Amino acid sequence: MGFAKKEYEFLSEIGLGPENPGGFINGKWKASGPVISTVNPSNNQQIAKVTEVSIEDYEEGLRACNEAAKTWKSLPAPKRGEIVRQIGDALREKLQHLGRLVSLEMGKILAEGIGEVQEVIDMCDYAVGLSRQLNGSIVPSERWNACIALVCGNCVVWKGAPTTPLVTIAVTKLVAEVLEKNNLPGAIFTSFCGGAEIGEAIAKDTRIPLVSFTGSSKVGSKVQKIVNERFGKCLLELSGNNALIVMDDANIGLAVRSILFAAVGTAGQRCTTCRRLYLHESIYQSVLDQLVGLYKQVKIGDPLEKGTLVGPVHTQASRENFEKGISTIKSQGGKILTGGSVIESDGNFVQPTIVEISSDASVVKEELFGPVLYVMKIKTLEEAIELNNSVPQGLSSSVFTSKPETIFKWIGPHGSDCGIVNVNIPTNGAEIGGAFGGEKATGGGREAGSDSWKQYMRRSTCTINYGSELPLAQGINFG
């Protein structure tokens, strides 16, 4: 049996077929749960079928993973780094095919799909270097999280989004090949395709010391509560409601290009997408006119076609949420300057939208996960900072300015309250070497670079008394 469409045949190059078991359990592909169809959001037609895992499959996988941990954590960190290096090379070899799959199954344009895979490769490279620096401090007394987690000596249990199971399976197959080639247990990297039931099992499982969750603040709050109740650790990457500020002294051309990419890229479906735009009153109309003109030129269509800048939103539910959001915006006095409608087609296409609205409108404080940009006028930097910080979320933020005093106010203690604080670059995207994550309702998690690797390790203070005396803390003489 072949794929429904000839253009899907490239999937066989990355180990996928028309029907796929969705669990990599104890080094074998198996699944006994419900069969689902994964669809192309450009036309809502089936790409392939996937069998999800059952709770029984999950339990078998966790037992094997727990056992494999004994082998994996016994390897020296540089040896673990060597395995991650090989995983990066395996991904690099299939970069184009994997990027095409991300575009096909998720709806990102091809350049962004390839960019997502490249980011995992970059994380592998970063983790390889890190593997030779994981030394403790000895004194005389004595992201893609999976990459960091692996070099830190952890086995990984991965449940991808239920709407993109083919990406989960394809990446896991490449990792599995590397483990097999190195005579290591496949259970080191255990993978499940499944829904909320499997996610809840992971959150409750005491065998999993750290749960990293990416999603909405609402679901993240539930995950955190469950994990905290068993004294597990939680790494949360939740909602973003990111603001970009353009001051009167900014490079306007640079700012306009940045706003377009930050607000329209990935059809507004990045956690770091720009959703709120604060323009200084003196340049307000000029920037707005340029933006509206650019929005009207944006090519919307098949994300795999050359020249397309905006693909579909990910699901039919996403399209419906866009429609509901536009209705709410209008009811709260928002004025649609461009866009504001769904595009009649078999796919989930919507128009990138610019809205003039009061900063007091309650909808501005919510994250509408689509290409909707709220534009508001500001008079001073202080006012802009106050508005930037006025929402529940705290992920990413940007200011465009040429004044050093503005920059240092913005990045200082009286500036942006977000985890990512940018100057003269868009809100979306992040440096691999810097810690990625946000404050407040964004969850407080930190992934990727800096010293965020410490979250993935058990931390112990080891004290060795190598003499015959018994020095006590605080200079106490105890008898």
Side-chain angles (χ1 to χ4, degrees):
M1 179 181 169
F3 287 99
K5 291 195 170 187
K6 190 175 180 183
E7 57 261 40
Y8 298 165
E9 288 177 2
F10 78 93
L11 296 174
S12 61
E13 298 290 322
I14 42 178
L16 298 169
E19 297 180 0
N20 305 272
F24 187 61
I25 296 165
N26 199 13
K28 295 184 174 61
W29 286 97
K30 62 183 293 187
S32 56
V35 177
I36 62 157
S37 291
T38 180
V39 299
N40 177 352
S42 292
N43 54 28
N44 286 306
Q45 292 178 8
Q46 177 181 296
I47 303 169
K49 290 182 178 178
V50 172
T51 306
E52 294 185 328
V53 298
S54 64
I55 285 293
E56 291 75 23
D57 296 329
Y58 169 84
E59 183 55 35
E60 183 184 342
L62 257 291
R63 279 199 305 269
C65 189
N66 227 26
E67 190 61 31
K70 297 172 186 174
T71 301
W72 183 242
K73 67 186 177 185
S74 298
L75 288 180
K79 294 285 187 187
R80 298 194 298 259
E82 168 58 17
I83 302 303
V84 173
R85 183 194 67 75
Q86 291 179 39
I87 291 171
D89 285 348
L91 291 165
R92 196 175 271 111
E93 192 178 322
K94 300 290 185 182
L95 172 62
Q96 297 295 322
H97 288 322
L98 288 170
R100 195 171 182 82
L101 170 57
V102 172
S103 295
L104 176 66
E105 193 174 37
M106 188 272 154
K108 291 176 192 259
I109 63 171
L110 184 56
E112 291 181 317
I114 291 170
E116 287 294 328
V117 184
Q118 184 61 52
E119 190 166 333
V120 183
I121 294 167
D122 292 344
M123 279 303 302
C124 286
D125 289 348
Y126 178 86
V128 173
L130 182 65
S131 71
R132 292 191 176 272
Q133 301 173 55
L134 294 178
N135 50 305
S137 298
I138 301 175
V139 290
S141 172
E142 16 177 325
R143 216 279 251 248
W144 199 58
N145 302 340
C147 310
I148 306 291
L150 285 169
V151 297
C152 287
N154 302 286
C155 288
V156 172
V157 176
W158 183 31
K159 188 189 94 65
T163 49
T164 54
L166 296 183
V167 171
T168 302
I169 293 168
V171 172
T172 304
K173 288 206 169 192
L174 291 174
V175 175
E177 286 173 14
V178 170
L179 293 172
E180 186 178 0
K181 189 169 67 178
N182 287 274
N183 296 313
L184 288 166
I188 287 169
F189 196 90
T190 298
S191 180
F192 301 123
C193 292
E197 184 183 39
I198 302 301
E200 191 173 341
I202 288 171
K204 289 179 176 177
D205 202 318
T206 55
R207 293 167 294 187
I208 301 176
L210 171 68
V211 175
S212 175
F213 172 80
T214 302
S216 69
S217 294
K218 184 179 177 183
V219 178
S221 177
K222 291 177 182 174
V223 170
Q224 186 175 48
K225 186 177 179 183
I226 294 168
V227 176
N228 283 349
E229 281 175 350
R230 62 173 175 85
F231 297 103
K233 289 201 287 185
C234 221
L235 202 167
L236 299 173
E237 294 293 348
L238 310 176
S239 304
N241 189 356
N242 313 296
L244 190 152
I245 298 161
V246 185
M247 298 304 294
D248 53 343
D249 58 292
N251 178 329
I252 300 302
L254 180 66
V256 169
R257 291 200 309 275
S258 297
I259 296 160
L260 181 71
F261 175 57
V264 171
T266 323
Q269 297 171 111
R270 283 186 181 272
C271 55
T272 50
T273 288
C274 177
R275 309 200 179 281
R276 297 177 292 141
L277 177 61
Y278 297 109
L279 301 175
H280 190 274
E281 58 184 1
S282 66
I283 47 93
Y284 181 84
Q285 205 56 52
S286 169
V287 172
L288 203 48
D289 290 345
Q290 290 180 59
L291 268 180
V292 170
L294 284 171
Y295 265 58
K296 289 178 177 174
Q297 295 170 36
V298 166
K299 184 183 174 186
I300 305 166
D302 184 340
L304 290 168
E305 273 186 18
K306 193 175 180 181
T308 298
L309 287 183
V310 179
V313 289
H314 184 42
T315 62
Q316 289 177 305
S318 305
R319 185 179 63 184
E320 289 162 12
N321 287 338
F322 173 87
E323 285 185 291
K324 288 176 191 169
I326 295 296
S327 178
T328 303
I329 287 163
K330 289 177 178 175
S331 73
Q332 294 184 14
K335 180 184 175 187
I336 310 292
L337 300 184
T338 185
S341 302
V342 299
I343 297 169
E344 290 304 317
S345 71
D346 294 330
N348 307 324
F349 294 96
V350 304
Q351 294 175 336
T353 302
I354 299 177
V355 178
E356 249 184 338
I357 196 166
S358 166
S359 56
D360 296 329
S362 61
V363 73
V364 174
K365 291 182 165 47
E366 301 164 8
E367 182 191 43
L368 176 57
F369 208 61
V372 177
L373 178 66
Y374 303 119
V375 185
M376 292 151 283
K377 196 179 289 184
I378 48 112
K379 293 182 178 180
T380 65
L381 175 65
E382 288 70 26
E383 179 191 6
I385 290 172
E386 186 179 336
L387 289 168
N388 176 78
N389 297 353
S390 68
V391 299
Q393 308 85 358
L395 179 53
S396 187
S397 55
S398 295
V399 70
F400 280 73
T401 182
S402 58
K403 290 182 180 174
E405 59 265 39
T406 299
I407 294 171
F408 286 101
K409 176 78 179 283
W410 173 244
I411 66 174
H414 300 291
S416 171
D417 66 356
C418 294
I420 299 171
V421 183
N422 294 328
V423 178
N424 294 333
I425 57 170
T427 55
N428 53 349
E431 295 293 332
I432 290 295
F436 180 92
E439 298 299 317
K440 304 187 297 191
T442 303
R446 291 296 186 277
E447 298 171 354
S450 187
D451 61 353
S452 58
W453 59 269
K454 292 177 180 177
Q455 296 170 107
Y456 297 91
M457 302 189 85
R458 185 179 71 242
R459 198 164 181 173
S460 306
T461 300
C462 303
T463 305
I464 301 172
N465 182 0
Y466 50 80
S468 56
E469 300 295 318
L470 185 62
L472 299 178
Q474 302 160 341
I476 293 172
N477 185 354
F478 202 74

